[in-house]
Structure formats: C-alpha cells, structure tokens
Amino acid sequence: MKPKIEVENLNVWYGANHVLKDISMEIPEKRVTAIIGPSGCGKSTFLMTLNRLIDLVNGVCVKGKVLLDGKNIYNPGIDLTELRKKVGMVFQKPNPLPKSIYENIAYGPKIHGVKDRKTLDSIVEKCLRVVGLWDDVKDRLRDSAFELSVGQQQRLCIARALAVKPEVLLMDEPCSALDPTTTRKIEELIQTLKNDYTVVVVTHNMQQANRVSNYTAFLYLGKLIEYGPTQEIFTNPKNKLTKDYINGKFG
Amino acid sequence: MKTVKEKTVLFLLGFSAAILLLAFVAITLFIGVGGLSAINFRMITTSIRKGGIFEPIIGTLYLLAGTIAMATPLGLATAIYLAEYAPKGKINRIIVQALNNLAGVPSIIFGLFGYAFFCRFLGLGISLLSGWLTLTCMTLPIVVRGSQEALKMVPKDFRVAAEALGAPKWKTIKDIVLPTATPGLATSIILGISRVAGETAAILFTCSVFLTKGLPTSPLQPVMVLTYHLYTLLVASPGTSTDRAFAIALILLGLVILLNLLAYLIRMRYRKRWKW
Amino acid sequence: MRLKCPKFLCFKDKAEIFLFILASISIIILFLIIVFVLNEGVPAFIELGFSNFLFGHRWSPYYGNFGAFPLIYGSILIVLGSLAISVPLGVFTAIFLAEYSPRWLSNMLKPIIELLAAIPSIIYGFFGFVFLAPKIMEFLNVGIGEVALTASIILSIMTVPTIVSISSEVIASVPKEYRKASLALGATKWQTIKSLVLPTAKPGIIASLLLAFGRAVGETVAVLMVCGCVPQIPSPPWNYLEPVHALTAAIALDMGEVSWGSLHYHVLFGLGVILLVITFIVNMIADFFIKKAPRGVQI
Ligand SMILES: Nc1ncnc2c1ncn2[C@@H]1O[C@H](COP(=O)(O)OP(=O)(O)OP(=O)(O)O)[C@@H](O)[C@H]1O
Ligand SMILES: [Mg+2]
C-alpha cells in the first residue's frame, strides 16, 4: 500500500511541555486511519501538525519530518495555501464562518482562484449533496450558517472542507457534538469518502473507530504505542496498554 | 419583608442615580432652552462679521474631516498590525500598555506637543494642518485601543476555519476578521470623532484663531472652530453675544449626542448579532 | 527541521509590510509626544532648580516668579473635592444600577450617564460659568462664584461616568453563586452586597476612582472657566470658597502669549511634565488594581 503521508521522528513542544514524542508512522492513501487515545495524549496536536495549522499556536516548536507525497511540508519554501488546499480539516466543534451557507462553501474555492459563478454554484451543490444537506438547505442558501442546527453545521463544515478538493481530510472528533442519528450519517459519509480521499479521524469512541477505520493508531502520553490494521488492534492488540484502553480500563 | 434599613439604602442608592439624571437634564435643558431660542437659520448661514457663526461651523467640519482622514487609516493599521501580525512578545505588550496610558493623557498635553512639534519644530505654524496632526495624535490611542478590543472579540474559530481552508493571513483578515469586527471598529472611530468635535484644549494654540478673513484656502492657514470660538466668547469677552455662545453650545452638544447615539445603536445591533 | 526566521522584520505578505509601516509611524509619533514635552519642559527644572520650581509659593509669570506649588495645590484641591462628590455618587449609582434597578431602567440610565462623559468640556465650562457660578455666589453669599467648590462640582459631574461604568461592571461580574450562598444563609440583600459583593469588587472600584482622578486632574477648559484662576493657597488651605488656579488652566491661559523658547515657555512645558507624571503614576496604580479585579472583568 502506497503511503500518502509519512511521519518521521515528529516531536512537538508547547513551551517546555513535550506533547508529541518521536512519532513515526505511515498513513496509507485512500484509507481511513483512526487515531485513538485518552484525553490530552496529543491527538489534536498530531492532526494539526499534518496541515501545519499548528503554526497558529504561539510558542510551539515542531521537530521532525512530515512527508506529503514524499515532500516535507516543514520545508521553508512550502506554500501553506497549497498545503492546506491538499489537506483539509474538520474540527470537533462545528466552526462555520460568519457568512451565508453558500458563501461558507464557496469561500475555499474562491481563495484558490475559482471565480466563475456557475462553477461555484455547481461546487456548492455537489458538496452539499455529498454530505446530505442539499435538500435541507437548497432554499435558504443565503441564510446565515449559524441558523443551522449543530449537526447541520458540522456537515456544512465537512462540505466546506471537501469544496477545495483536498487529497487528505483530517477530522478531529467530528461527531462528539452530535446526536446518534447524525453520528451515523457522518460515519456513513466517512465510509464513502475513502474512495476518493485519505481520511485521518480522531475519535474517543472505540466502536466508531472499529466501524469506520481501516487502520488504527493508539497514542498515549504523546507516544505512538501501537499502530496497525484496525482488525488486529481491536481483536489482538500486542501491547498491554492498548488492550487495557480498548477494553475501557482507563481513559 | 423589607426592613427599614433596606428601604433607606435603596432610597439612598436611587437618589444618587436621580442626581446624575438631574445633572444631565439640567445641562441639556440649560443649553437646549438657551440655544433653541438663540439659534436660527440666518445665524448659521451668515458670516461671523455679520453676527453669524458660519465660518466656525465649516471650520469645525474641515477639522473633523481631515482628522478622520488621517486618524482612521493610521489607527486601524496600527491596531490590526498589533493584534494580528506583530509577534506576541514583551515588546508588543509594552507598546499596547503605552498606548493605553497615552489614551489617558490630558488633551492639553497634546496641545503642548502639537505646538512645539508641528507648529514650531516642523514650522507649520498655527494652521489647519497642525490642528489635523495634533488631533490625530490625540485620537490615535483611543481609536487603536477601541479597534484592538473589537478585533479581540472575533472568535478564534473563524480564523482557524479560514486558515484551514488555505486562506492566506491577509485574506483571512480581510474576508473574515474585519467584516466581523466592523461594528466595533466603527464604534471606536465614531467615539474618537466625538472627542475631536468637542475638543478645545488641544487646539487652543495649534490651529485656531478668534477671527480669520474667511474660510482657510490652504491647510497652512488658521481656521475658526466652534469650541475655540465659544471659549474666546466666554473667556476673553464675557457678556458679549450670549446668543452666539448658546447657539454654538447647542450645535456642539447636538453633534456629540448624535455621534454617541449612533455608536450606541451600532453597539446594540452588534450585541444582538453576536448571539447568532 | 523548521527554519526559524528572526521574528522581527520577517514579513508574511505585502499587507504586513504596509501595516508595519503605518503602525511604526503612529507608534513613533506617540513616543515623540513624551520626548518633546520632556525636551521642552526639563530646561525649566534645570534653570529654576527642581524644588524651587515644584515648591515655590509664588506664581506670577510676568514678574518672573515661577513657583508651581499653588497650581499643583489648586489642582489637587479641586480634584479631591470633586472625588468627595463623585465617589459616593458614582459608587451608589453603580450599586443601584447593578443590583437594584429593573433592567429597563439600567438600560436607560447607563447610556445617559455615558453621555455625561462625552459632553465636551467647553460645555461644562459654559454651564459652570454662566449658570452654576452665579448660583454659588448667590446661595453661599461669596464675593465671586468662580471658586474651588464650583470647579469641584463641575469636575465631579464630568468624571462620575468613569466611576459608574467601571464600578457597575465590576459589581455585576461578581459571581451569582456567592450571592445565592449568602442569601441562603438568611442575609438581607444589602448585607450581602455590603459584606460580600463590595469587598470582591473593591479593586475594580478603586481602579475606577483612580481613573476618575486622572481624568479630573487633566481637565482643562472647564476648570479654567470656573476655578477663578487665582494662583493662591486659600486660607485656611481647605477653604473651598476661594478661587484657585490649576496646572492645566495655567498652561492653557499663558501658552498663547509666551514667546517661543523663553523661560516662561519652558516653565509651561514643565507644568506639562508634572501633569504627565501625575497621570502616569495614577494610571499605573489603576492598572495594578485592574489586574486584581475578579476574573472576566474587562476595563
Ligand atoms: N495551545 C496549547 N498551548 C499549550 N499546551 C497545549 C495547547 N494545546 C494543547 N496543549 C497541551 O498539549 C497536550 C495535548 O493536547 P491535545 O489537544 O493534542 O490533546 P488531545 O489528545 O486532542 O485531547 P482531547 O482528547 O481532550 O481533545 C495536552 O496536555 C494539552 O494540555
Ligand atoms: Mg483534541
């Protein structure tokens, strides 16, 4: 299997706090990779290093390599706009922009140079259809995105991330703010996404990791404890920590 | 059940509030009644030489327009730079702190500085230009501080969302941060203008004179201003022409109340919008 | 490895360069203010001698007497008088607005009180000069109406909004749980406020008083028009029914007439330096108290 992202000896410090320790792993293309681990172990931090959104944090220090298609994204010459176009992100809390539903989705393509009205219209429709929101909102595309319910907002955010045609989609606990039905829908969505995208999803929910992912990585206190096909991790974990965590002994 | 003590306290507290309300009513009534009986259309539109107050009114507008044109871009740029771009270190904190302190510096100090620096050191003399520059210095800290507050109110989520889509920093600011902060920015600018409109001390010796030949034809000429004119009417020649004094006071009061009302309305809408 | 560029002067885009230039201009200008006032004011201290200038008892510039003490004393006298009025008035009103008055009343009163702060000082001067001073003369039976008391009253109205708006915000931000706990123990509302809310809000209230002090001491035209502008120390020194002079008023009155570079000119800037020092100190102490205010309160 061809790796989309290769992480080599990645270390992250927040000030003096060493939160990611020597992480190395390969994330395969067009598969869903789940990141699990107890709260505070560095899952969100890890995701943010993959699109360099971590640059927004003050006083952070990143060492190591992250190769996207073989190119280190921490090279000085890298174009952040290009990088983030390729690596989209969905956050734990839905974070629509203070714009209309339409503008939320059209914003990304516009930044990346799409000007034609018709093209934008079709992108908006396509992305909203993918996340199953089109029928709900097609008559109120001009309304503020904040008028949607939380679950709808989250799906809007996914649609927004898809609108720039990323190659990788990072999702940080995308379902934690949602009810079971919507969670179901998003899980199904993730399943379909893997045909076209490389998906990395952080989750606290073991069943969810089990249901949606092909590979699972277990992080503990900033270290990568175990990483492998989801089936193996859940049925036959090699490390005792992993086993205890999966069986709900801590976390 | 309310005890006697509780009632006394409530009375005392309410009474204090009533006194403040009374002070406001007294001042507005005093100016309002005196001003309304003095002011008329002819006075506003005739020249100062014929007993009107036309030149000071237009002079004040000149002064306001120039100050807005200078202070707004400078103030906004400074606030945006400090809040969004400048490295968040010690230097940044010191500069912000210094700006806060400057916002509390008495306006007469700005007058002194304006006279020494713009009028004398730069040789601009007592002129409209010196006035613009001095008042810009005076409003700058106010505008910067208010704008920084407004920028700080923009939720971090918005910026993260835009940057995650690949928006470059400047586009994030232009498309997301500034539109969201606009009501707050506008409020801070309006309040700055309101300060300028009523300012006397800072222009006493930088830009205005009691009488000019007419309206200034270049920024290097002195200008007549409402506040300064009222000041000289009262201090230098008390007793003369109370009609004009009342009319000027009414115009100034009306202008300031209007500006503050505008700022208040914007702020109210802003609060509602934040509930999204 | 990530390349760490020097943080300073490492521009992300063109917009940043543009903003950086404008921001530098305004920051430099603002620092020039301090530099220039010091530069023009310090010669006065050198020429007259620090203590002669600061503590000299005679201020008659046209006869070469540059003792600033009567001005400093006058300023402080007026300001303390104004605080004696505005502090109880302001704090009581703040408690009323935050704790007792119904919402609609607070919503109406707050903007009105804020407007009091926005009314130009020349209008207060006008009001004091034409309305209040004659009334004072009449009712208190004094020779002239432009006395320290008049200035204090006018200043108290001008600065009370500072006290009210900050104090009421601080009081309102004391957590509800505290009050519930106290009321549940059977304390009355006023007992709760007095023993619980006010002590918690105290640093913020003190900060508001200091900021009011700073505003009052720098007030110029209104004071000039109603204080009488007589550079004397009243007898007895706490006699509020005598005219006094103030730092700001002296600067404003004389500045138009001095010749550039003369001793008198430098002395007026020297007064400016004194004023600056006073306001900086007061603001710094206020900052100290603001930092001690309960969390979540922004001033
Ligand atoms: N901006 C920051 N500044 C300093 N420390 C931070 C910052 N963000 C996170 N941390 C610390 O880094 C560690 C890892 O945080 P991170 O958010 O990556 O954990 P997480 O695994 O996503 O947790 P959760 O499951 O609760 O979301 C935590 O100990 C946290 O306190
Ligand atoms: Mg997290």
Side-chain angles (χ1 to χ4, degrees), chain B residues 38-107:
Chain B
I39 204 167
N40 54 49
F41 187 69
R42 218 187 62 86
M43 180 190 274
I44 297 174
T45 50
T46 43
S47 158
I48 201 99
R49 298 170 177 284
K50 298 187 187 115
I53 48 172
F54 179 68
E55 287 91 344
I57 292 179
I58 302 300
T60 300
L61 293 182
Y62 279 7
L63 198 59
L64 279 180
T67 309
I68 297 168
M70 289 181 184
T72 307
L74 271 181
L76 286 183
T78 309
I80 295 172
Y81 181 76
L82 287 177
E84 306 285 334
Y85 280 99
K88 301 272 175 300
K90 209 171 192 161
I91 301 176
N92 194 327
R93 268 211 307 282
I94 291 174
I95 290 177
V96 170
Q97 183 70 42
L99 282 173
N100 280 349
N101 277 334
L102 277 169
V105 163
S107 51

Side-chain angles (χ1 to χ4, degrees), chain A residues 39-40 42-45 92 172-173 202 204:
Chain A
S39 191
K43 303 181 296 293
S44 300
T45 306
Q92 177 170 359
D172 192 351
E173 301 184 40
V202 166
H204 267 146

